[in-house]
């Protein structure tokens, strides 16, 4: 596939005077859009790239439009990543323009400021919170494309010499808005979905506990944003002693596991450029991944952006191996251990503990089938409780060398014993 490019901007939170220091113009923008789409799902807000009043606009809007059009042609959303290095936000771009349209929704913050480019945003989310998490995530952004003369393998708060907005690639291949995975009673915007880092005060304590006792920080950074939201929301419910919601907690972990396996299998096929070789039957419920276009009524996996059920994913892997599918084999040539784990130990744990049936029961309102004891066991199997959970095990397998120092002593050198030449005289 063609490379998937996005845009990256920084902003100065101290320019938004009169507010709490923690409440930046990005928070204000998020709240404005969130309030608007509650009453009008088609509402948008405009984020501006400011320049000094004595400077001339020099943004290359033609290149930005080319990226936007190319992503649209490949059926992917274009993201606007915005950071003050304390938080990292992502917006779904609907349009790019040099002039602010009449009656457009935007912040009063931009009044009397010079703006050289406007991004029309239709959805907006916080994806990282805190200096460390934000810095780790920025390392996944790299610049190496024909739109720029620069070549930077990973951005950081100390990156200099870039021209904003810069065109970047995201190694994580995150598709926040394309893979909108909300329940039927939820809105069609991620901005309306609860985000613990914005709406709950104890999130930092919970994420610190997670990275101290369950997931090493660099492993947790690999977990998809949507899965982390499920994990953090569930753990907050436990931390705040909301055990009456134990089925919701179990369901959050089952969804997190599903998102992780989708990331490890489906995203990997897309990143490797072989997703066009597989097909999705959208008429089946849930949708199935096929090795060939058997009925002519399918779409390619490349063009399908929803998450698959865990059962569909495990069946697909088994089917691809059974038929020795060359594209699947090529894509996972360097990840044979992961495929071996998913088809053996992982599948056994899922089946023996009825995880798929439990997910379906809770999803369809049959909570009475799942006792509180079993619901907590589901959480412990997936998260890990006295043993490595399913999610951590997957990432340990594919990042063995990178994560090895967390599970093995690798740097200790024993001091050689000095042999004495002295003889004892009796």
């Amino acid at each position: 596939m063609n490379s998937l490019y996005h845009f990256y901007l920084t902003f100065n939170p101290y320019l938004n005077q009169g507010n709490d220091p923690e409440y930046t113009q990005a928070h204000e923008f998020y709240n404005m859009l969130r309030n608007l789409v509650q009453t009008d799902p088609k509402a948008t807000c405009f984020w501006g790239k400011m320049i000094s009043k004595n400077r001339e606009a020099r943004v290359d809007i033609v290149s930005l439009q080319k990226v936007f059009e190319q992503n649209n042609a490949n059926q992917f959303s274009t993201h606007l990543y915005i950071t003050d290095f304390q938080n990292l936000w992502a917006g779904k771009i609907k349009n790019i323009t040099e002039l602010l349209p009449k009656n457009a929704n935007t912040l009063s913050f931009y009044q009397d400021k010079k703006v050289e480019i406007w991004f029309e945003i239709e959805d907006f989310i916080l994806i990282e919170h805190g200096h460390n998490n934000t810095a780790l995530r920025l390392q996944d952004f790299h610049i190496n494309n024909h739109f720029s003369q620069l070549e930077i393998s990973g951005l950081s708060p100390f990156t200099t010499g870039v021209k904003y907005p810069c065109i970047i690639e995201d190694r994580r291949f995150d598709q926040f808005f394309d893979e909108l995975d909300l329940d039927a009673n939820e809105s069609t915007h991620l901005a309306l979905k609860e985000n613990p880092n914005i709406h709950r005060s104890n999130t930092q304590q919970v994420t610190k506990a997670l990275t101290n006792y369950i997931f090493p920080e660099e492993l947790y950074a690999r977990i998809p944003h949507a899965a982390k939201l499920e994990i953090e929301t569930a753990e907050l419910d436990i931390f705040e002693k909301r055990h009456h919601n134990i089925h919701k907690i179990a369901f959050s972990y089952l969804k997190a596991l599903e998102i992780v396996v989708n990331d490890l299998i489906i995203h990997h096929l897309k990143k490797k450029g072989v997703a066009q070789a597989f097909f999705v039957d959208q008429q089946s419920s849930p949708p199935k991944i096929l090795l060939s276009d058997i009925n002519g009524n399918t779409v390619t996996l490349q063009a399908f952006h929803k998450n698959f059920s865990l059962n569909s994913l495990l069946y697909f892997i088994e089917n691809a191996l059974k038929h020795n599918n060359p594209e699947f084999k090529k894509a996972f040539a360097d990840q044979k251990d992961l495929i071996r784990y998913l088809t053996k130990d992982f599948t056994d744990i899922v089946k023996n503990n009825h995880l798929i049936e439990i997910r379906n029961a809770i999803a369809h309102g049959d909570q009475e089938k799942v006792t509180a004891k079993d619901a907590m066991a589901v959480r412990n199997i997936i998260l890990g409780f006295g043993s490595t959970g399913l999610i951590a095990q997957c990432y340990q397998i594919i990042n063995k060398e990178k994560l090895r120092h967390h599970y093995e002593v690798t740097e200790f050198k024993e001091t050689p014993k000095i042999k004495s030449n002295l003889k004892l005289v009796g």
Side-chain angles (χ1 to χ4, degrees):
M1 65 167 287
N2 293 322
S3 295
L4 182 59
Y5 298 119
H6 300 291
F7 308 132
Y8 170 75
L9 274 177
T10 61
F11 73 94
N12 183 350
Y14 300 106
L15 294 178
N16 198 20
Q17 298 177 353
N19 288 321
D20 185 300
E22 294 293 316
Y23 189 79
T24 68
Q25 54 265 45
H27 290 85
E28 189 178 355
F29 186 87
Y30 165 82
N31 284 326
M32 174 182 274
L33 182 61
R34 181 180 166 88
N35 290 334
L36 286 168
V37 298
Q38 280 180 327
T39 53
D40 179 8
K42 294 183 179 179
T44 60
C45 288
F46 285 75
W47 181 277
K49 160 64 174 64
M50 298 186 307
I51 54 174
S52 301
K53 289 185 178 181
N54 58 355
R55 278 184 54 199
E56 292 297 321
R58 293 180 180 176
V59 68
D60 183 4
I61 192 169
V62 173
S63 293
L64 301 184
Q65 291 286 7
K66 281 183 180 177
V67 168
F68 183 69
E69 289 164 9
Q70 179 178 297
N71 289 346
N72 278 348
N74 287 321
Q75 298 177 293
F76 290 113
S77 295
T78 305
H79 302 163
L80 176 64
Y81 289 105
I82 305 168
T83 188
D84 60 350
F85 305 118
Q86 167 64 24
N87 299 298
L88 178 64
W89 304 80
K92 181 182 180 182
I93 298 174
K94 183 177 182 180
N95 193 23
I96 307 168
T97 178
E98 292 176 296
L99 298 174
L100 185 66
K102 189 177 180 181
N103 298 323
N105 298 307
T106 191
L107 300 178
S108 59
F109 167 79
Y110 291 110
Q111 189 175 352
D112 300 326
K113 293 183 173 71
K114 189 172 184 178
V115 174
E116 64 175 342
I117 190 81
W118 292 96
F119 295 93
E120 185 178 7
I121 304 297
E122 54 184 316
D123 204 353
F124 195 67
I125 55 170
L126 176 67
I127 60 172
E128 293 296 349
H129 173 67
H131 293 295
N132 288 342
N133 293 337
T134 297
L136 274 172
R137 188 66 179 86
L138 291 180
Q139 291 176 13
D140 291 319
F141 297 164
H142 63 110
I143 300 174
N144 185 10
N145 56 69
H146 62 274
F147 298 106
S148 173
Q149 295 181 341
L150 292 174
E151 187 173 324
I152 302 174
S153 61
L155 299 179
S156 81
F158 309 104
T159 302
T160 60
V162 298
K163 183 179 178 182
Y164 297 106
C166 54
I167 297 172
I168 58 106
E169 282 184 89
D170 177 13
R171 288 192 182 94
R172 292 282 300 278
F173 204 78
D174 274 327
Q175 296 169 251
F176 313 107
F177 309 104
D178 295 329
E179 294 179 344
L180 196 62
D181 191 22
L182 303 175
D183 296 331
N185 61 341
E186 292 184 292
S187 169
T188 55
H189 286 73
L190 287 178
L192 294 175
K193 189 174 175 67
E194 181 184 10
N195 187 321
N197 285 303
I198 300 174
H199 304 119
R200 309 273 279 273
S201 59
N202 293 320
T203 309
Q204 284 186 315
Q205 290 171 271
V206 166
T207 52
K208 193 169 182 62
L210 284 168
T211 54
N212 277 342
Y213 304 116
I214 305 295
F215 305 108
E217 197 168 36
E218 53 195 308
L219 186 157
Y220 196 59
R222 298 294 96 197
I223 296 175
H225 170 73
K228 285 198 284 190
L229 279 187
E230 297 292 346
I231 293 168
E232 290 164 12
T233 302
E235 288 303 292
L236 270 167
D237 280 357
I238 293 174
F239 182 79
E240 294 172 355
K241 296 182 171 49
R242 299 183 182 185
H243 277 75
H244 61 278
N245 222 352
I246 191 64
H247 291 100
K248 182 184 174 187
I249 290 169
F251 191 64
S252 287
Y253 271 102
L254 289 162
K255 284 180 71 176
L257 182 64
E258 205 166 75
I259 293 165
V260 164
V261 180
N262 271 276
D263 180 55
L264 296 174
I265 300 300
I266 304 304
H267 276 189
H268 188 75
L269 291 171
K270 289 181 178 180
K271 282 187 279 189
K272 289 292 184 179
V274 299
Q276 292 283 6
F278 303 97
F279 302 86
V280 180
D281 180 0
Q282 299 181 91
Q283 305 303 315
S284 65
S285 183
K288 291 180 181 177
I289 318 169
L290 308 173
L291 303 182
S292 59
D293 186 11
I294 55 175
N295 57 17
N297 192 29
T298 62
V299 296
T300 67
L301 181 60
Q302 181 69 30
F304 188 84
H305 300 310
K306 300 295 182 184
N307 279 325
F308 293 95
S309 69
L310 192 57
N311 194 43
S312 294
L313 289 165
L314 294 178
Y315 176 78
F316 166 63
I317 297 169
E318 183 184 342
N319 199 32
L321 293 175
K322 179 182 175 182
H323 290 87
N324 200 25
N325 183 274
E327 299 296 345
F328 188 91
K329 190 175 178 180
K330 180 173 68 174
F332 290 97
D334 297 329
Q335 293 191 9
K336 292 177 182 176
D337 288 346
L338 173 66
I339 299 302
R340 194 175 297 115
Y341 170 68
L342 289 174
T343 54
K344 293 182 179 177
D345 292 350
F346 182 94
T347 296
D348 287 345
I349 292 169
V350 168
K351 287 183 177 178
N352 293 340
N353 291 284
H354 314 287
L355 296 189
I356 293 169
E357 293 84 355
I358 288 172
R359 188 217 188 280
N360 292 339
I362 299 174
H364 294 105
D366 296 329
Q367 284 94 335
E368 67 276 2
K369 293 182 178 179
V370 185
T371 65
K373 184 178 177 181
D374 281 349
M376 187 53 76
V378 168
R379 177 254 187 192
N380 296 340
I381 290 165
I382 296 171
L383 177 67
F385 185 72
S387 61
T388 305
L390 292 179
I391 290 175
Q393 186 65 40
C394 288
Y395 288 103
Q396 283 182 34
I397 288 171
I398 61 176
N399 294 282
K400 266 186 274 191
E401 286 308 310
K402 284 185 179 180
L403 298 173
R404 184 168 158 248
H405 66 282
H406 289 290
Y407 304 98
E408 296 178 26
V409 174
T410 58
E411 297 179 352
F412 179 77
K413 297 285 187 280
E414 187 176 3
T415 305
K417 293 180 180 178
I418 301 173
K419 293 182 179 180
S420 174
N421 291 322
L422 295 176
K423 293 182 179 179
L424 295 176
V425 178

